[in-house]
């Protein structure tokens, strides 16, 4: 495979332009206004998979957005790699904080990316990272170097909980059978410090609504005399963490897998600068659960964050009102072996129980997912580690991530194979934030590294 | 004055139609989009004052919205009554909760108002109540029964803090000189239980902003590791009340005038049904400072309410974000002898001091006002009490209100006269809320009662 870098050099502009074309379509799964664009993106992915060398590609209907399935089976005695990715993207808001429009991709040079980075919603999460696999496929088939079978499963609902993927997987076990699953939707420590994500947190996402009086009230005539739903909501949310930032929901930590001192010491070896971390975010201090470091807090410990809160008058100027209702969107990141449905139920009962008299409370569960850990002695991990070592000239560091990829635990359960998280993103890519971007270096490095995974995995499987 | 009721009966339809015409103009002072409508309303009020019999009426420019000034001076040896009101209205949102459009007035019959009530933003607060004085003026001048001098000062910024009124008053002391000030912007206990407001609370309105990281963050990658501004804001707001719902800002209660047991016992005599109160609001319990009754909590005790809160993702579905910023609008109602500027400063220092590391906090004061009490032995109060007794056939109950009228304390300081709060509204009028309305009975009763005030005040002044 000595000429993968040559191939990339030759076709680099086209690789960028094809990705940019995909990024232009606002495939926002969370917002029903963009339904047509999401479907259009599925079609575009299908064409790209066909062009990349898949023998068959289908748009598989679901009760929601379709799944694009493509495959090239060269020999049933060879291993099969299943590539998962998603073609939908996060909502771009707040729009006013983007320097360039989220769906008008531009390549800009930055200090960190002197060779340029593509700025657009989805540049990294997940179109850029997903498309690396499509271009790697193209390289392998065009140069007749595909060493094994490959299947692609690219869905359109990851950002809204992949609610239809489970049914699709269960109904298509044979079609999707594989020896390893490959996902690029995570990051590395730095451009010159490769790392492989070995753990994902689970997720429980809920919405709460607190109702006080049956109408908005004048805060002079009624202030002090009735429960103010906003004040009450702040009290209830505030009570969910104690003074050590430990979550107070009864039973919340019961099933948490506590790492040993040795495991924690091993984790602590990964390069990390608290000063750089704080500086990048313009904060004077980090903040979290007492007794844990920053990288433990964001990976091996469960958390609770309010993602959105609203109620009352929020427009220009002043309005002296006691709102009838107050709302919040709350999500919890989970670790092995917390069960997300159980955690959702614990949250719901607890939150309802702490509501004072004078208000009523509604808890509406949204979606959730289980946590996951990849064992580093499995052949998939070893193949990935060798691949990064080949292209970066350094052994990648195994690292637990704070993020969630809802369907990884489901894949293991239904398809009986491990998932290898080969990510090429960076924290600074600002996924889920304004000005999301993906380094040209990272994009091309991924395309270069992935074919080595195929080579080593096939070898180690023999 | 035996024919005031006859005059009202004769002109009733016109009285209603003229008010409805005023209510149609959306004079929303808080929203700069409606500037033209606010100015249009000033002109309409001018015409009505001219028609009602004022000898001179002028639109007096300020740095904000103009003040409409009208007068009829019949004899400098007679007393002078100054009528204050406001022609601007509260914003109508949330629009979706109005049964009829806020600026398309309709008269609807209800259980409480079998003779009908006018539904519109401003129907009670303050166009309806202000216009009672204009129609009472018309009656007295048309029937040649005006016993004293009268001046009208109707402003357009009461709902946004009357920030230019102070300067106007100070610059026009002679023009505005008077023996008593009359304001109708408060309520009575019930249609058949007249009461006169003898106290107003002060106000301090602020906006707060909590900033954490310099951009929105992915709540998986960063959740648990950095301060979440929304979580922090809820903690800070929650800490402002202790377990007895007592405000925890140091120094907050230092200057509070504590009523004696006798005064509290006197207050407690006013008719009040907790069951009716709760039922009207659909709440299972009231909620407030331990050791005080509902009517003490909303009148003689200071309070703190969050009027609006927002931050993060609040749209459809889910977004797993840690917001960079969280915001709240907070107002405190004050009692004698708290000083609103001092309280604002106490809030600001305290709120800034409780911000944890990892966030920065901004406190932006909006407007404020001092509390006020009318002594019931002054001739203005006695004249008002007699007037209500005449038209209701019952002695009105003196009652402290929870609301604020920012300029009353300023009037006493600058013009050296007391304010009598002759209100004809009801709690159920839903001022500041959707479906605000004003009973036809209340409107006409006001027009009937006001001329008696003029008669008795002139008599008692001799």
């Amino acid at each position: 495979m000595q000429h993968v870098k040559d191939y990339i050099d030759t076709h680099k502009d086209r690789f960028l332009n094809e990705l940019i074309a995909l990024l232009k379509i606002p495939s926002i799964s969370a917002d029903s206004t963009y339904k047509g664009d999401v479907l259009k993106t599925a079609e575009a992915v299908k064409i790209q998979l066909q062009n990349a060398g898949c023998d068959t590609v289908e748009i598989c209907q679901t009760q929601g957005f379709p799944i694009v399935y493509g495959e090239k089976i060269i020999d049933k005695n060879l291993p099969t790699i299943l590539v998962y990715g998603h073609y939908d993207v996060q909502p771009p808001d707040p729009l006013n904080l983007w320097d360039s429009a989220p769906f008008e991709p531009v390549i800009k040079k930055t200090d960190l990316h002197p060779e340029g980075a593509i700025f657009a919603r989805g540049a990294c999460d997940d179109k850029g990272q997903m498309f690396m696999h499509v271009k790697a496929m193209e390289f392998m088939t065009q140069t007749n170097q595909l060493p094994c079978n490959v299947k692609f499963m690219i869905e359109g609902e990851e950002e809204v909980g992949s609610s239809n993927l489970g049914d699709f997987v269960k109904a298509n076990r044979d079609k999707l059978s594989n020896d390893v699953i490959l996902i690029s939707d995570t990051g590395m420590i730095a451009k010159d410090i490769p790392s492989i994500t070995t753990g994902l947190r689970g997720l429980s996402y809920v919405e709460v609504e607190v109702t006080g009086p049956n109408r908005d009230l004048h805060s002079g005539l009624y202030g002090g005399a009735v429960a103010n739903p906003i004040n009450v909501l702040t009290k209830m949310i505030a009570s969910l963490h104690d003074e050590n930032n430990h979550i107070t929901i009864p039973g919340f930590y019961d099933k948490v897998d506590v790492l040993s001192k040795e495991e924690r010491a091993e984790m602590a070896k990964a390069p990390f600068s608290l000063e750089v971390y704080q500086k990048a975010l313009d904060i004077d201090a980090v903040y979290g659960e007492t007794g844990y470091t920053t990288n433990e807090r964001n990976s091996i410990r469960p958390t609770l964050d309010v993602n959105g809160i609203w109620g009352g008058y929020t427009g220009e100027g002043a309005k002296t009102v006691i709102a009838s209702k107050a709302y919040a969107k709350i999500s919890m990141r989970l670790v092995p072996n917390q069960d997300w449905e159980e955690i959702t139920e614990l949250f719901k009962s607890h939150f309802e129980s702490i509501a004072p008299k004078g208000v009523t409370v509604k808890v509406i569960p949204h979606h959730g997912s289980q946590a996951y850990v990849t064992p580093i002695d499995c052949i998939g991990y070893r193949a990935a580690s060798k691949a990064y070592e080949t292209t970066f000239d350094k052994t990648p560091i195994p690292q637990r991530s704070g993020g969630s990829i809802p369907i990884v635990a489901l894949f293991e359960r239904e398809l009986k194979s491990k998932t290898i998280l080969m990510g090429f993103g960076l924290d600074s890519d600002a996924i889920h934030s304004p000005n999301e971007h993906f380094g040209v270096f990272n994009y091309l490095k991924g395309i270069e590294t992935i074919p080595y995974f195929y080579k080593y995995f096939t070898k180690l499987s023999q």
Side-chain angles (χ1 to χ4, degrees), chain A residues 75-340:
Chain A
D75 183 341
K76 62 179 176 64
N77 295 315
L78 289 171
T80 301
I81 293 170
L82 173 62
V83 177
Y84 163 86
H86 64 92
Y87 62 84
D88 63 314
V89 298
Q90 274 276 323
D93 65 278
L95 285 176
N96 63 307
L97 294 185
W98 283 77
D99 297 329
S100 53
F103 299 105
E104 287 170 34
V106 289
I107 295 180
K108 289 190 275 202
K109 294 191 198 309
T110 70
D111 289 341
L112 183 57
H113 298 287
E115 68 294 329
I118 309 144
F119 280 76
R121 170 58 90 235
C124 177
D125 173 24
D126 181 46
K127 285 172 177 169
Q129 296 225 61
M130 176 269 289
F131 206 60
M132 297 181 313
H133 289 268
V134 182
K135 296 297 97 186
M137 173 72 166
E138 174 196 313
F139 162 72
M140 289 185 286
T141 55
Q142 284 296 307
T143 61
N144 202 26
Q145 292 185 85
L146 184 67
C148 58
N149 306 312
V150 55
K151 297 175 178 178
F152 287 84
M153 179 171 65
I154 315 297
E155 68 146 329
E157 297 181 319
E158 194 271 349
E159 300 291 5
V160 289
S162 304
S163 49
N164 293 298
L165 188 63
D167 289 344
F168 178 79
V169 168
K170 289 175 198 167
N172 291 281
R173 282 200 188 85
D174 288 345
K175 184 193 191 98
L176 299 169
S177 66
N178 65 82
D179 296 287
V180 73
I181 300 164
L182 215 50
I183 301 180
S184 293
D185 205 3
T186 51
M188 313 184 296
I189 292 171
K191 286 166 79 176
D192 58 348
I193 307 178
S195 58
I196 298 176
T197 299
T198 51
L200 295 165
R201 294 202 282 193
L203 177 72
S204 165
Y205 200 108
V206 301
E207 203 161 306
V208 303
E209 181 184 302
V210 176
T211 303
N214 57 4
R215 58 180 169 92
D216 288 356
L217 299 178
H218 187 282
S219 74
L221 300 183
Y222 291 92
V226 299
N228 179 329
I230 301 178
N231 286 65
V232 169
L233 179 61
T234 64
K235 284 253 181 200
M236 292 173 72
I237 290 174
S239 77
L240 297 176
H241 289 93
D242 67 17
E243 66 280 5
N244 289 312
N245 268 317
H246 195 77
I247 293 160
T248 59
I249 298 165
F252 187 80
Y253 292 94
D254 284 2
K255 295 189 175 166
V256 166
D257 181 39
V258 176
L259 268 66
S260 65
K261 269 180 39 192
E262 291 74 26
E263 285 171 309
R264 291 174 69 181
E266 193 62 36
M267 271 185 66
K269 290 181 183 168
F272 174 74
S273 159
L274 191 60
E275 198 185 322
V276 168
Y277 187 88
Q278 289 179 187
K279 196 162 185 296
L281 304 175
D282 264 323
I283 52 179
D284 62 347
V286 286
Y287 184 100
E289 198 185 0
T290 303
Y292 294 92
T293 65
T294 288
N295 284 326
E296 292 176 330
R297 289 168 174 170
N298 67 19
S299 67
I300 61 167
R301 296 300 292 168
T303 62
L304 185 147
D305 277 292
V306 181
N307 302 117
I309 191 168
W310 70 105
Y313 182 69
T314 61
E316 178 192 338
K319 190 177 200 278
T320 46
V321 65
I322 291 174
S324 169
K325 290 178 181 289
Y327 310 80
K329 294 183 194 276
I330 296 173
S331 57
M332 290 158 282
R333 297 287 172 164
L334 314 176
V335 298
N337 301 305
Q338 291 175 305
D339 178 271
W340 81 265

Side-chain angles (χ1 to χ4, degrees), chain A residues 375-386:
Chain A
I376 63 175
D377 55 0
C378 70
I379 60 171
Y381 184 86
R382 284 158 51 206
S385 191
K386 278 198 77 160

